Structures are given as structure tokens and as C-alpha cells.
Amino acid sequence: MATISTASFAPFSTSSTIRRVKRSSGIVLATASKEASPLGVRVTEGEGSLPKVVLTSSHGSEAEIYLFGGCITSWKVSSGKDLLYVRPDAVFNKKKPISGGVPHCFPQFGPGQIQQHGFARNLDWSVIDSENVNENPAVTLELTDGPYSRAMWDYGFQALFKVTLDAKSLSTEFTVKNLDNKPFSFTTALHTYFSASVSGASVKGLKGCKTLNKDPDPTNPLEGEEHRDEVTFPGFVDCIYLDAPNELQLNNGLGDVITIKNTRWSDAVLWNPHLQMEACYKDFVCVENAKIRSVQLEPEQSWTATQELSIS
């Protein structure tokens, strides 16, 4: 299977299309001409001339994934409404992670021994596969270790991120494999920003969860338990929910109810910065699937977690 790096797509004059090419040695990817692809997967130029993958379904839905950070920045349903949010202060120059959409936190969630939320959101991912199953386009991105990652986290690894678009859903599969000769451990999350009216947004499904509340002191989370049937965002919110259920419902306050299902993302995080980001906090909420407790992998072992976002 051939790997296409981000360098393969620049500079752009027109959008490119990815197609699967079957050969005896396996499936490889190739760039094609302007012709429309039956796969609904193409690579084109995004903000800041950064390459992005565009998934388009026959049902009229669309998703965009930037190869920098492997970050999903848009999920539009057939009406054209974007259910994800990118902050107005987001930059697309590789000098900082893309602020919004679905950024990766790997191999560290939050602060710790290496940089905040790890390095996966600061590196270029590569396209290694694309496919179409029952008119649902999908693409698989890959991130592996290199000098930048090794300088702060000295392990050999492979991370795969598969994104599949359906008429009313956006699904991801995240896999980490230990390619080193020694064990390693990591924490991780999908830091998903949803478009919302913060005053009307709420999340169902968290009642009874143990909580680590970072308000008012982020460095000393307060342990507790969630007693509300619907969790709202009345002010600054930064709270971890341990052993969260594998299905939550977000009412975004804009007329949409988004079901968030997962496997093996054992925890959830709710975040809204309130007045810390006065220019935009009213327009989004973060509902994140996370793995707060460390995952330990022996050499050649792997770990996979899935997420499905859907609307009725």
C-alpha cells in the first residue's frame, strides 16, 4: 500500500481526486484528473494552502479533513448546515494546531510531561487508503514517529484514523499500534467542537458519572458526581466524566440533537471557555470522547476506539 504524503499535493492548481487502484500487490492510491470520482474522496487546497481531504456522499453530506493534525474541520449534512465549529482565531499556517473541528489529543491529553495535548495535532498525517462502501466514502490517515515526536516521546508507533461519511452520520476509528521493542503508555481524546448556542445547549447521559471538575481550579480538579439529567453550560465549564456511557445526546440549541456513540473511549469531557474567549464562546461547546487513564501497549499490541456522530 503506497503512502501519499502532504508534499504530494502541493502546489495546487485544481483539486485532485483520490481513487483506489487494485494491483496484485495490494491497493494503492493515485491522484487523478478533474474527473468526478465515484468514491466521493478528493484532495484539494484548503485554508493557508494546506491540503485537505473532502468526503462527499451521494446523499449530499460532506466532511473536510486537514492533513495537518489529521483534523476534521467540517461536517455538513444535506441541508448544508455545518455541525462542527472552527474558532475565528484558528490559523492554518502550521505554527499552531487548528483550533476547532475534531483535533487529536495524543499521546497525552491535557498538560503533562510533553506539550499540551501531545503532538499529533501538530504534525502532517498521510493518506494511505480510501474506499466507498454502500455509497459511504471513507479515508484512512496515518501518523508515525519521526524526529519531532521522538524528541519528546521516544517510541516507535503507528496511528491510523479512518473517517467515514454517511447521509446523517460521521464515524471515526482511531488505532494506535506499538512498533517499538519496549512498552509504552498514552492518554488520548477527540477534542470535538460542535456548533451551538451555548445558552441553549445541553448534554444527556452523564447522570451518575464520577466527575473531575476543573472549575474553579484547573490544577486541582474537584471530585464529585453528576446529578443532573441534562448538563448545561451556564458559565465556564471544564469537567471530566469518568467511565461515561457509550452514548450521549447533545442538544446544540440550534435545533439539532446529535447522538454521540463510541466504543473504548471510556471517558467524556465537556468544555466551554466562557469569557476566556469572549469573541466566540457563545457559538460552540466541546463534547469530547477521551481516554483519561493510561493505555499501556506491549510491542506489536494495538488499541482501537470508535466514535459515531449522528443526527436523526
Side-chain angles (χ1 to χ4, degrees), residues 114 146-154:
I114 64 175
Y148 180 80
S149 69
R150 286 273 188 170
M152 66 187 86
W153 198 65
D154 192 19

Side-chain angles (χ1 to χ4, degrees), residues 36-302:
S37 169
L39 289 176
V41 184
R42 61 189 174 93
V43 176
T44 187
E45 183 178 80
E47 296 287 333
S49 299
L50 297 182
K52 67 179 179 181
V53 181
V54 179
L55 304 181
T56 307
S57 82
S58 61
H59 311 286
S61 55
E62 184 177 276
E64 297 181 356
I65 310 115
Y66 276 77
L67 299 188
F68 178 67
C71 185
I72 304 170
T73 55
S74 178
W75 169 38
K76 293 178 181 177
V77 290
S78 58
S79 66
K81 189 174 188 178
D82 202 330
L83 298 173
L84 299 181
Y85 183 79
V86 175
R87 286 170 17 200
D89 61 338
V91 295
F92 294 80
N93 58 11
K94 296 191 179 184
K95 292 183 179 179
K96 59 179 290 188
I98 297 171
S99 300
V102 189
H104 288 274
C105 302
F106 173 82
Q108 176 181 287
F109 173 74
Q113 294 183 348
I114 64 175
Q115 63 185 235
Q116 173 86 359
H117 290 322
F119 50 70
R121 60 185 190 153
N122 297 316
L123 290 169
D124 289 323
W125 295 56
S126 299
V127 176
I128 63 166
D129 195 16
S130 65
E131 59 185 314
N132 188 296
V133 180
N134 298 324
E135 300 184 340
N136 300 326
V139 66
T140 301
L141 307 184
E142 179 189 50
L143 181 69
T144 57
D145 56 285
Y148 180 80
S149 69
R150 286 273 188 170
M152 66 187 86
W153 198 65
D154 192 19
Y155 298 102
F157 72 92
Q158 179 194 48
L160 298 175
F161 190 52
K162 182 177 181 179
V163 182
T164 304
L165 179 68
D166 200 346
K168 295 184 177 181
S169 68
L170 182 71
S171 302
T172 65
E173 180 181 272
F174 181 52
T175 298
V176 178
K177 185 174 183 179
N178 184 347
L179 299 183
D180 215 306
N181 57 9
K182 57 186 180 290
F184 64 63
S185 62
F186 63 90
T187 57
T188 182
L190 295 178
H191 197 322
T192 308
Y193 288 70
F194 291 96
S195 291
S197 171
V198 72
S199 60
S202 62
V203 179
K204 288 183 178 180
L206 293 168
K207 185 176 182 179
C209 289
K210 299 297 181 184
T211 58
L212 297 174
N213 195 344
K214 296 185 179 182
D215 180 29
D217 184 1
T219 62
N220 187 27
L222 182 65
E223 295 184 21
E225 182 177 332
E226 183 56 71
H227 299 290
R228 293 170 290 179
D229 291 318
E230 294 188 47
V231 181
T232 56
F233 299 82
F236 176 78
V237 174
D238 190 356
C239 190
I240 295 169
Y241 293 81
L242 299 174
D243 299 318
N246 59 13
E247 182 174 330
L248 303 175
Q249 283 194 325
L250 166 66
N251 183 332
N252 66 10
L254 299 171
D256 308 293
V257 175
I258 301 169
T259 299
I260 305 168
K261 295 181 180 179
N262 84 86
T263 62
R264 302 191 79 185
W265 290 106
S266 56
D267 312 300
V269 182
L270 301 189
W271 181 69
N272 181 271
H274 197 52
L275 297 178
Q276 293 179 6
M277 295 183 185
E278 192 169 2
C280 63
Y281 80 91
K282 296 179 181 179
D283 299 324
F284 75 90
V285 297
C286 286
V287 183
E288 311 169 33
N289 277 319
K291 193 71 175 177
I292 302 300
R293 300 182 185 94
S294 293
V295 177
Q296 176 142 334
L297 294 181
E298 298 295 325
E300 297 303 315
Q301 284 187 335
S302 62

Side-chain angles (χ1 to χ4, degrees), residues 10-38:
F12 292 89
S13 56
T14 61
S15 63
S16 301
T17 304
I18 297 177
R19 68 175 187 270
R20 277 176 123 206
V21 182
K22 294 186 178 180
R23 296 177 180 169
S24 58
S25 59
I27 298 170
V28 299
L29 295 174
T31 54
S33 64
K34 300 178 185 177
E35 296 177 10
S37 169

